[in-house]
Amino acid sequence: LTEGCMIRTEGIPVGEKTSELYRITVNGIGVQAYPARVTGVCRNDVWDGLQTPLKYTEEAAFVHLEADEPLAFYVRPLVRAFTECVVRPRSAGIAAEIGRDGVRFTIEKAGQYVVEFGDDHNVLHIFKDPPAAFSKDPKDYTRYFGAGVHHVGKIVTEPGDKIYIDGGAVVYGSIYGNGVRDVTVCGYGILDGSWEERKNEKCYEDDTTGCIKFYRSENVRISGIVLRDSAVWALNAFDCEHFHVDRVKLIGMWSRNTDGFDICSSRHVALENSFFRDYDDCIVVKGVPGYNYANVFDIKVKKCVVWCDWGRGMVIGAETFEPSISNVTFRDIDVI
């Protein structure tokens, strides 16, 4: 804490693994990284009832910081030699100073960044968010998850629910809503979907939730959280209206068909300031059967960073059964 400025990083909670890929300091303070399993080999086998073999995957790392001042990083790789370093997206204009054992660089603005040492394997992801505007008072929420590890399984939301996941919290569970309205999910913690086992080939059935799935719901807001290791499509809106996603980070999507955000048969959807690293398609606008065959319109996507390991970064029209898709905008997107 310095006068007029603030940096906040919660320690990794007891019982959670830490990544041993890097040693990291931020403004002179040691910071631990979380591990995340990601695609190591770009291939897609036909669904046969089994998930992606681990031999096609590798470990990456990520750190998540709250700050309203520049962050000076020193990063030392522990498992590989290097002669070059790139900080992406390149549009951010961040130059790395390479030393004998590590690199130095400064991140001025809030955003999502990837640090590569020679290639795109075993990379470090950095998520920098502005100090949260969320209330930290448990009385303001219907479900409150403070720092620590929480094993909750499937959370079925009710109208008006407000769910908070604090920085330093890892929640092993999924969030599900059907026919609800005025639901908020916020915080700078992690929602981890690895507790769940995929049931069948279809990703839009409700027998497997993924990290977050809403059907026929209205006025849903999801803000700040990290989604990790979904069993199917990670973030889903089916026949929803007025659905807003802001500063959400997706990482560790190594399993088959782990799309990012599937906007299915929905209207008035806004997605901004978010990060997607997914095995399969990252941001998808589509219409799937069984959801009133409603037109899809007013979809606004802006200021996102996209890394697709096997499928496509942005898709309009996959699996579409609706009469029309219109007024879809992608603006200021970095595809890395």
Side-chain angles (χ1 to χ4, degrees), residues 15 38 82-83 103 189 198 244 280 318:
V38 297
F82 70 97
T83 58
V103 300
R198 183 177 177 180
H244 187 195
D280 209 343

Side-chain angles (χ1 to χ4, degrees), residues 2-301:
T2 57
E3 184 176 357
C5 299
M6 188 272 279
I7 301 174
R8 179 172 183 252
T9 174
E10 300 288 351
I12 293 179
V14 174
E16 276 295 294
K17 292 182 179 179
T18 60
S19 174
E20 297 300 326
L21 295 177
Y22 300 97
R23 289 289 179 266
I24 306 164
T25 63
V26 182
N27 290 9
I29 302 168
V31 173
Q32 293 177 312
Y34 284 94
R37 185 161 298 281
V38 297
T39 300
V41 178
C42 294
R43 58 175 292 167
N44 188 37
D45 296 334
V46 175
W47 169 253
D48 57 2
L50 301 174
Q51 274 297 2
T52 304
L54 291 181
K55 66 182 180 180
Y56 299 149
T57 71
E58 66 184 30
E59 185 180 314
F62 69 94
V63 295
H64 187 198
L65 299 136
E66 249 182 278
D68 61 359
E69 65 176 23
L71 299 182
F73 280 81
Y74 178 75
V75 180
R76 178 187 176 190
L78 300 181
V79 298
R80 61 186 303 171
F82 70 97
T83 58
E84 58 182 314
C85 177
V86 176
V87 182
R88 301 184 188 278
R90 287 188 179 273
S91 64
I94 299 172
E97 176 188 339
I98 299 176
R100 186 182 67 179
D101 297 322
V103 300
R104 299 182 187 275
F105 54 88
T106 298
I107 294 179
E108 301 274 351
K109 298 179 179 180
Q112 303 90 31
Y113 306 90
V114 173
V115 186
E116 296 181 1
F117 289 87
D119 58 34
D120 60 359
H121 292 285
N122 305 115
V123 301
L124 173 64
H125 303 74
I126 297 172
F127 306 141
K128 179 186 177 185
D129 279 312
F134 318 121
S135 166
K136 289 186 173 294
D137 189 342
K139 294 194 299 294
D140 292 333
Y141 300 96
T142 53
R143 289 180 179 263
Y144 182 97
F145 298 100
V149 179
H150 309 266
H151 295 272
V152 300
K154 185 175 181 178
I155 298 173
V156 179
T157 60
E158 300 290 339
D161 267 350
K162 293 183 178 180
I163 301 171
Y164 179 76
I165 304 175
D166 197 13
V170 180
V171 176
Y172 287 89
S174 301
I175 295 174
Y176 172 92
N178 193 338
V180 297
R181 60 179 301 152
D182 303 324
V183 173
T184 298
V185 181
C186 64
Y188 282 154
I190 298 170
L191 181 64
D192 187 294
S194 63
W195 72 280
E196 188 178 40
E197 183 178 351
R198 183 177 177 180
K199 299 295 194 304
N200 59 49
E201 183 177 3
K202 302 296 184 184
C203 293
Y204 44 81
E205 304 296 341
D206 63 2
D207 54 8
T208 309
T209 306
C211 289
I212 297 177
K213 181 177 284 187
F214 282 89
Y215 295 96
R216 302 180 179 92
S217 297
E218 187 175 353
N219 294 332
V220 176
R221 185 177 183 89
I222 302 167
S223 181
I225 63 175
V226 177
L227 305 184
R228 183 176 66 178
D229 201 353
S230 181
V232 288
W233 299 348
L235 175 57
N236 308 265
F238 293 89
D239 193 16
C240 292
E241 291 191 2
H242 303 291
F243 201 103
H244 187 195
V245 178
D246 183 28
R247 297 197 180 281
V248 171
K249 285 74 63 174
L250 276 68
I251 183 68
M253 306 301 173
W254 60 276
S255 300
R256 289 188 177 110
N257 297 122
T258 42
D259 287 11
F261 186 16
D262 283 82
I263 303 166
C264 303
S265 309
S266 295
R267 286 84 49 205
H268 308 303
V269 177
L271 165 63
E272 56 188 331
N273 304 311
S274 295
F275 175 85
F276 295 84
R277 181 174 180 183
D278 294 279
Y279 171 95
D280 209 343
D281 306 331
C282 291
I283 305 171
V284 191
V285 181
K286 63 171 70 171
V288 295
Y291 297 96
N292 299 331
Y293 296 101
N295 290 326
V296 181
F297 60 89
D298 188 26
I299 314 295
K300 295 182 174 63
V301 182

